[in-house]
Amino acid sequence: MLPLSTQAFLASVFFIYALFPLIPSLSYNFHNGQRITQIFLLTLLSIYLLRKNTLYLPRKEITYSVAILLFISFISSSISNFPLSSLLNTLHYGLLAFITLLFINSDRDIKLLFIVIFIMHTCLIVICTLNIIFIIFDNGFFHAHNIIMKFDNVRHFNHLQILILPLSFYILKRTKLKTLVGATIVLNLLILTMSSSLAALVCYSLILIMYVTFKMYEYLKSALSLTIISLFLFLILIAIEPESANPPAFLSDSGRIEMWLNSIPDFENILFGIGSGNYQIRLNSVVLSHPHNFVIQIFVEQGLISLITCFYFLFIITFVFLKNRHKKTTNQEKVAFITFVTAVIYSLFSGLIVMPITQIIFVLIFSQLIECNETTKFNRKLKIIVATITSIYFTLSMISFYKLEPNTPKMAGPSFWSAGEKT
């Protein structure tokens, strides 16, 4: 087997640290530990990027869309009430865009990284299953927060569970270890059901519908069979749980509808927004730092122009994939597209776009779906721009991390850091 490429090795280290359940966090909580590792990952990948002499050139529509989004984000950050923290968010998304170029046309790297993610996720699932067994022996309640590991919030774990499922079924069809992989999927679905997430249920149903749409009937058959097994196990756990436990709240909106209705931006901010990462809203005694909806977040933080551009960007990716379906589309490309659609829909109900792990998964997915057949010269001027962005980004990140105070009041829900602080 050929050695891992540099970018694949660095990304593998990130996923191993972020997901392996027995590695301690670098911070006082898991989100900030994942973020600080992501910052080092992006910085090191940017340094490696600077060694390149050529870059893959995406379709012009993609290039212009991303350029407009970043340009508007810089404008909104500069005129916001918290320009430095907002600039940090903008630089962060800019580096994510540059790093995507490193993985374009790197099918082997993507396959290896998918395997790493699946293995680390399996380790997480095993530990979570052990927690379930301990709860059974203690005659306790199956609260999801008592089961999950490596995440501060069960919803952050649900993000990963849903994004891993299309990959898991793909691996199930390509491995001889079908029993082991199938058991992992069953346990994943079991824990997902125990978390009582309506958004996750909707997204999993969407995955099954897309299996039908793309005529992936073997995947659908396996998914339905394993789902039945997981539901059977779930009913057993419910039957042995003490009667005083709270019933699963699948139909709860967790205050999202009220938050969305109160998130309409002022007219003066409708074009450029209030600055990337600056969203906040008070619901009763809780201050939330993101709206759990990427459309509202982009509209509020970066304005109407960015929102329209983002829709166009997503449309181009979808249009190109569906247009090329008459050609021979591999199952790996279908899995990437199914994961992409699932992530977009899930982002309408939850904050996938602000989480460190899901952001890197987005990079891998986009690199699979962005059509790039040409290369462009990576000249000195472009390298100076990337080097400048990386230097400012790393400096601001370290300063802001150093200033985080673990004992001060925090916003509920992370933005860049889990604290949601902007000073």
Side-chain angles (χ1 to χ4, degrees), residues 19-91:
L19 298 179
F20 191 72
L22 302 181
I23 297 178
S25 176
L26 292 175
S27 179
Y28 51 86
N29 62 28
F30 289 119
H31 176 85
N32 286 347
Q34 293 166 359
R35 180 70 79 197
I36 195 69
T37 313
Q38 184 195 26
I39 290 167
F40 278 100
L41 170 67
L42 294 181
T43 302
L44 292 174
L45 286 176
S46 297
I47 294 172
Y48 177 70
L49 179 65
L50 293 173
R51 298 176 57 189
K52 297 267 183 188
N53 293 321
T54 58
L55 290 176
Y56 284 105
L57 185 66
R59 291 171 61 98
K60 291 182 179 180
E61 298 91 338
I62 296 291
T63 303
Y64 293 154
S65 297
V66 174
I68 291 172
L69 283 170
L70 292 176
F71 179 71
I72 297 297
S73 186
F74 275 113
I75 293 177
S76 62
S77 296
S78 65
I79 62 177
S80 72
N81 293 329
F82 305 98
L84 288 181
S85 67
S86 186
L87 176 63
L88 174 59
N89 277 269
T90 299
L91 294 174

Side-chain angles (χ1 to χ4, degrees), residues 302-326:
Q302 294 179 226
L304 183 61
I305 299 174
S306 289
L307 182 60
I308 294 173
T309 306
C310 182
F311 281 149
Y312 180 70
F313 171 79
L314 298 177
F315 169 77
I316 289 297
I317 291 179
T318 305
F319 174 78
V320 170
F321 179 85
L322 296 179
K323 179 183 177 182
N324 291 337
R325 277 192 62 201
H326 67 279

